Amino acid sequence: MSWRTVVIGSRSKLDFKMNYMIIRKDFETTKVYIDEIYMLIIESTAVSLTAVLLNELIKKKVAIVFCDEKRNPASEVLPLHGSHNSSKRCREQAEWSKDLQAYIWTEIVRHKIMNQADLLQHQELAEAELLYQYLDELTLNDETQREGHAAKVYFNALFGKSFSREQDNPINAALNYGYAILLSAVNREILSLGYITQLGLNHCNQFNPYNLGADLMEPLRGFVDAVVIKSRPTEFDRNVKLSLIELLSEDVKINDTVQTFSAAIRIYCKSVFDALRTHDANQIRFIEYEL
């Protein structure tokens, strides 16, 4: 099972040999077994890699993230076909009814708000009670926009009433970085299970190639938030990035088992698709939120 998140942060040449990724840096050479790699993050723009390595990584369903000149995630490489039955799964996806999508989306939103409320309560913030109240007010497909109201209360409670997600500051930089890594991990699982990321349950932006990934990651955002709240960065530096990347290797609970966060994401995503096939939201296995 893949579990490593490999970050290439300086000038390197990456190649492939006998199922190993070969990393050459000046006079140093490192080998990493490809079957162990869950995600590869190319942080530096001074990295070159061979087409044969890229092809092997894609075959193994490794999530490959390329960063820009500021070392922030800018793009990812996704396979055209992630599963042997992808055509069948795509047809199923296209036939999901609006009512079914609304039903599953409501449960996803419910758990997102619940996780936010639990995090506020852990921080001993009174606004937690308002979010728990929003859970009682949640309607099918969140037609009353409880998710949006909860997000505003949530971020203002955590970072102050003057805080906005549109601001350019270290906290938002850290949140955006963590969310980008999380989205890439979710996209990896969507494709490996045979579905496509463009057709979402609720997100439907014609310019967003990751609508379904954006849907499924919603209840998982709190895990990133918890890391950022713990560090409360005054500078968005490498240590903050590494703490967010390492989140994928942390142990979490799901379906009465302990898994790495990356493995739990796969279980969660598969359970959402099981719920869609059976029209039963009870099939969804959400990752347990422990603080």
Side-chain angles (χ1 to χ4, degrees):
M1 178 180 290
S2 58
W3 53 275
R4 289 184 184 273
T5 299
V6 180
V7 182
I8 309 296
S10 60
R11 182 183 298 274
S12 312
K13 181 175 181 180
L14 311 184
D15 203 350
F16 172 80
K17 186 177 182 180
M18 298 181 67
N19 211 35
Y20 282 87
M21 181 173 70
I22 311 299
I23 307 169
R24 295 186 174 90
K25 296 182 179 181
D26 297 328
F27 303 105
E28 179 185 358
T29 300
T30 305
K31 298 194 302 183
V32 182
Y33 192 48
I34 285 184
D35 286 354
E36 294 180 350
I37 304 175
Y38 177 82
M39 181 178 293
L40 172 64
I41 301 175
I42 308 295
E43 254 199 349
S44 171
T45 55
V47 174
S48 63
L49 68 165
T50 62
V52 64
L53 172 63
L54 195 59
N55 189 49
E56 292 298 325
L57 292 171
I58 290 171
K59 284 181 182 178
K60 298 293 185 179
K61 299 181 175 61
V62 175
I64 307 168
V65 178
F66 287 95
C67 296
D68 59 20
E69 68 281 358
K70 295 181 180 179
R71 297 178 177 266
N72 293 322
S75 63
E76 61 180 321
V77 177
L78 299 173
L80 290 175
H81 306 288
S83 173
H84 69 283
N85 62 348
S86 58
S87 294
K88 177 183 178 181
R89 295 305 186 207
C90 288
R91 284 195 296 272
E92 289 178 2
Q93 186 174 359
E95 292 171 357
W96 291 339
S97 70
K98 294 295 183 184
D99 289 344
L100 176 60
Q101 292 179 63
Y103 169 52
I104 299 300
W105 172 246
T106 304
E107 291 309 303
I108 288 174
V109 169
R110 187 186 310 281
H111 277 77
K112 177 185 180 180
I113 297 175
M114 186 183 302
N115 288 345
Q116 291 174 329
D118 289 347
L119 185 53
L120 291 183
Q121 187 175 62
H122 179 74
Q123 296 293 315
E124 298 182 348
L125 294 168
E127 289 85 351
E129 292 304 317
L130 183 55
L131 265 65
Y132 287 127
Q133 179 183 323
Y134 286 164
L135 287 173
D136 294 332
E137 298 171 355
L138 188 64
T139 58
L140 183 66
N141 208 30
D142 189 25
E143 292 181 352
T144 57
Q145 295 294 306
R146 295 298 93 183
E147 181 195 12
H149 290 297
K152 181 175 177 56
V153 171
Y154 173 73
F155 284 113
N156 286 346
L158 289 175
F159 304 117
K161 294 190 181 300
S162 62
F163 177 82
S164 166
R165 284 287 289 127
E166 306 302 320
Q167 294 168 344
D168 182 9
N169 56 43
I171 289 176
N172 273 324
L175 290 172
N176 292 338
Y177 188 89
Y179 294 158
I181 298 300
L182 183 59
L183 177 61
S184 183
V186 171
N187 286 338
R188 174 192 189 274
E189 304 307 336
I190 290 171
L191 287 163
S192 69
L193 292 166
Y195 299 88
I196 59 175
T197 60
Q198 290 88 343
L199 298 180
L201 300 172
N202 179 263
H203 289 81
C204 57
N205 189 328
Q206 63 177 322
F207 304 109
N208 183 4
Y210 310 127
N211 284 312
L212 186 56
D215 286 330
L216 268 57
M217 72 177 281
E218 292 294 356
L220 311 179
R221 288 178 182 267
F223 290 92
V224 171
D225 301 340
V227 173
V228 175
I229 292 164
K230 185 177 180 179
S231 61
R232 292 189 178 272
T234 56
E235 181 181 356
F236 182 50
D237 57 18
R238 184 166 179 78
N239 289 333
V240 175
K241 290 181 180 180
L242 289 177
S243 68
L244 291 163
I245 292 169
E246 289 168 356
L247 175 61
L248 292 172
S249 301
E250 294 291 326
D251 287 339
V252 296
K253 289 186 178 180
I254 183 170
N255 201 24
D256 297 325
T257 65
V258 176
Q259 305 280 346
T260 62
F261 190 40
S262 58
I265 289 173
R266 179 174 179 81
I267 295 170
Y268 158 67
C269 290
K270 182 180 183 301
S271 73
V272 173
F273 296 128
D274 290 342
L276 285 158
R277 281 197 298 274
T278 61
H279 296 206
D280 182 8
N282 291 323
Q283 294 287 328
I284 303 178
R285 298 294 178 257
F286 288 99
I287 302 175
E288 294 182 30
Y289 202 69
E290 292 189 332
L291 298 167

